[in-house]
Amino acid sequence: MRWLFLITLAVIFIVRPLHAEASQAENARVGAGTLNQELLSRLVAEETNRFRMERGREALTVSEPLTIAAQGHAEAMAEEQFFAHRNPHNAAHRTLTDRIRGAGIRSQAFAENIALTYSLDFSDMQSWMKNRQSSPAPAVMEYTYRALAKSVVKQWINSRGHRQNMLARPFSQIGLGFATAKDARGLERVYCVQTFCAAL
């Protein structure tokens, strides 16, 4: 009985710090130039799958080839300062089809969502301006990773075409890419890409 108690106690001590560490990472601020792409990818995948499953769809599996395609496009947009599905600077990766084929994917059903946002969370400020409040303007803080993931996925949900991509039944795989670049004012922008395809 004593051994069982000690083992249980050991498991509690092991699990709690891991959970606390994950929670701490999710609540970390999205700092300029230090974007944790792996963490943001995981959280956006979680938010996307939560949305799909709430609507009776199966969860998507993260695909390394799709992630390569998505990450490449996010980095291209950040480096070349454009925001579009079509890359005007690289003929080999001009279209989504080019990027999908370049990553070695042969699926015939695929789609792409893109979003452009800031590492700063302007939602409180926008609400304050909309309601014409007389109180002092709220401070604009950096997003946490979890809050940024929720915000980006919400943008896609609120756009009909992006929403359709997220819920499309043929898709079973997802890839995610993120990159940052400063705008003319020196504010950090975050370029976000989701790619989807049917079974590889």
Side-chain angles (χ1 to χ4, degrees), residues 8 14 22 30 37 68 100 126-127 135 138 193:
T8 304
I14 290 170
V30 180
Q37 295 170 340
I68 290 170
I100 290 290
Q126 290 166 343
S127 175
S135 59
V193 180

Side-chain angles (χ1 to χ4, degrees), residues 34 40 44 55 67 93 97 118 154 164 166-167 172 177 200:
T34 59
L40 187 54
V44 170
R55 281 148 185 83
T67 295
H93 298 99
T97 301
Y118 282 86
K154 185 178 179 181
Q164 287 175 341
M166 292 170 68
L167 292 176
S172 60
L200 298 174

Side-chain angles (χ1 to χ4, degrees), residues 36-54:
N36 185 332
Q37 295 170 340
E38 184 177 342
L39 174 61
L40 187 54
S41 293
R42 178 175 64 80
L43 296 176
V44 170
E46 285 178 10
E47 295 297 331
T48 300
N49 279 330
R50 180 177 291 114
F51 174 64
R52 281 179 59 89
M53 294 171 74
E54 285 171 354

Side-chain angles (χ1 to χ4, degrees), residues 6-78:
L6 291 174
I7 291 170
T8 304
L9 194 60
V11 169
I12 290 171
F13 279 126
I14 290 170
V15 170
R16 280 186 178 169
L18 289 176
H19 176 73
E21 186 177 317
S23 179
Q24 185 176 3
E26 292 176 16
N27 292 319
R29 298 287 173 179
V30 180
T34 59
L35 188 69
N36 185 332
Q37 295 170 340
E38 184 177 342
L39 174 61
L40 187 54
S41 293
R42 178 175 64 80
L43 296 176
V44 170
E46 285 178 10
E47 295 297 331
T48 300
N49 279 330
R50 180 177 291 114
F51 174 64
R52 281 179 59 89
M53 294 171 74
E54 285 171 354
R55 281 148 185 83
R57 306 295 195 270
E58 292 185 2
L60 300 168
T61 302
V62 176
S63 157
E64 185 176 348
L66 278 178
T67 295
I68 290 170
Q71 185 61 36
H73 193 51
E75 290 175 2
M77 288 192 292

